[in-house]
Amino acid sequence: MADEPLLIAENLQLSFGPTMALEHATAEVHAGEVLALMGPSGSGKSTLLHCMAGILMPDAGRVTYADRDLTAMHDDERSALRRTEFGFVFQFGQLVPELTCLENVALPLRLGGASRRAALRSAEAWLERLEVSDVAGKRPGQASGGQGQRVAVARALVTRPKVVFADEPTGALDTVNGDRVMQLFVAAARDTGAAVVLVTHEPRVAAHSDREAVVRDGRVRQQEFVR
Ligand SMILES: Nc1ncnc2c1ncn2[C@@H]1O[C@H](COP(=O)(O)OP(=O)(O)OP(=O)(O)O)[C@@H](O)[C@H]1O
């Protein structure tokens, strides 16, 4: 693990009207590390993840990625950085329903300028790695929840992002399927060297991480090493 954190959130504050979602929240993740953000419902986990990913802008505080201040960038620059350096996995996959699973995984590469052939070849390899080659030609609606989440993981990793953000990635799955998705997800992320920032309520999901940070009342109350 590198000494310097890859991504640092410092003293973030963010209010939604009267609701103080983040109050001096501080967290960091190193390259290749899996960080789990735990904590009760409404404590600010998702808001913190969205700020770390440059999707939400804090009212105060700073997010630094590879020595670049995300909070000081123009929107275009931040969007470009999200597209090229970050990957995302959410609870319900958010795959494009009209495309096949294979086309869904190829899409980020196509948007990045890859040829159709190269993108599909790479997507095929990722589906195989996530053990869902059998749904390649199916639309997401024809795949099971667990298969859909594996496809979503493949789509998030296909561009080899430096950081993958996952918000309750197995929240809609049963324990067995959820565990398998987490195993495959974390193993694949470790292979590519990606850092993972993961929001979860479930200790068994967090058990796949290297480190846990507990979010309470908009602050990161405690960080502990799982391994
Ligand atoms: N877009 C929004 N508009 C208004 N309030 C919001 C918005 N997003 C979050 N909040 C509020 O901010 C607080 C933190 O929400 P957040 O979703 O970050 O918590 P969480 O820990 O991820 O919760 P959960 O585990 O239930 O998803 C909550 O009080 C929530 O109601």
Side-chain angles (χ1 to χ4, degrees):
M1 197 181 290
D3 291 328
E4 283 295 305
L6 179 62
L7 180 64
I8 307 170
E10 284 171 285
N11 274 319
L12 301 188
Q13 289 182 51
L14 181 56
S15 299
F16 296 106
T19 306
M20 188 77 126
L22 293 179
E23 206 177 341
H24 300 292
T26 292
E28 60 188 39
V29 67
H30 290 78
E33 183 186 31
V34 182
L35 170 71
L37 301 176
M38 303 278 294
S41 188
S43 59
K45 303 181 294 295
S46 296
T47 306
L48 176 57
L49 177 130
H50 285 100
C51 285
M52 291 176 88
I55 295 170
L56 277 177
M57 279 298 100
D59 298 329
R62 193 163 61 156
V63 178
T64 316
Y65 166 74
D67 294 328
R68 296 165 71 189
D69 185 350
L70 254 67
T71 37
M73 283 178 188
H74 285 122
D75 288 353
D76 292 356
E77 199 184 346
R78 201 165 40 243
S79 305
L81 186 134
R82 273 203 310 269
R83 216 172 32 248
T84 54
E85 308 277 306
F86 296 168
F88 296 91
V89 185
F90 295 110
Q91 184 166 345
F92 295 107
Q94 297 179 334
L95 300 169
V96 181
E98 295 81 10
L99 299 180
T100 65
C101 291
L102 182 67
E103 288 164 344
N104 263 284
V105 178
L107 187 61
L109 295 174
R110 293 285 285 145
L111 294 175
S115 73
R116 182 177 159 77
R117 200 166 148 209
L120 290 176
R121 203 169 42 228
S122 210
E124 255 169 34
W126 274 98
L127 286 179
E128 196 175 325
R129 186 168 194 170
L130 273 298
E131 301 176 357
V132 275
S133 297
D134 45 334
V135 297
K138 292 185 178 174
R139 296 197 172 162
Q142 299 170 301
S144 72
Q147 289 169 330
Q149 280 310 78
R150 292 182 198 199
V151 174
V153 169
R155 189 187 55 176
L157 290 171
V158 72
T159 53
R160 296 188 165 266
K162 298 284 192 299
V163 189
V164 185
F165 296 92
D167 198 347
E168 301 278 5
T170 60
L173 305 180
D174 62 44
T175 307
V176 173
N177 270 306
D179 266 359
R180 190 68 189 133
V181 169
M182 281 309 299
Q183 272 167 8
L184 291 164
F185 175 19
V186 168
R190 288 194 203 285
D191 279 359
T192 62
V196 176
V197 182
L198 165 75
V199 162
T200 183
H201 288 98
E202 299 176 55
R204 60 179 306 125
V205 175
H208 292 273
S209 70
D210 299 310
R211 193 158 52 89
E212 288 179 14
V214 179
V215 184
R216 270 187 217 288
D217 302 327
R219 291 170 183 258
V220 181
R221 295 288 183 185
Q222 156 194 341
Q223 297 204 20
E224 63 186 52
F225 284 90
V226 179
R227 291 163 202 267

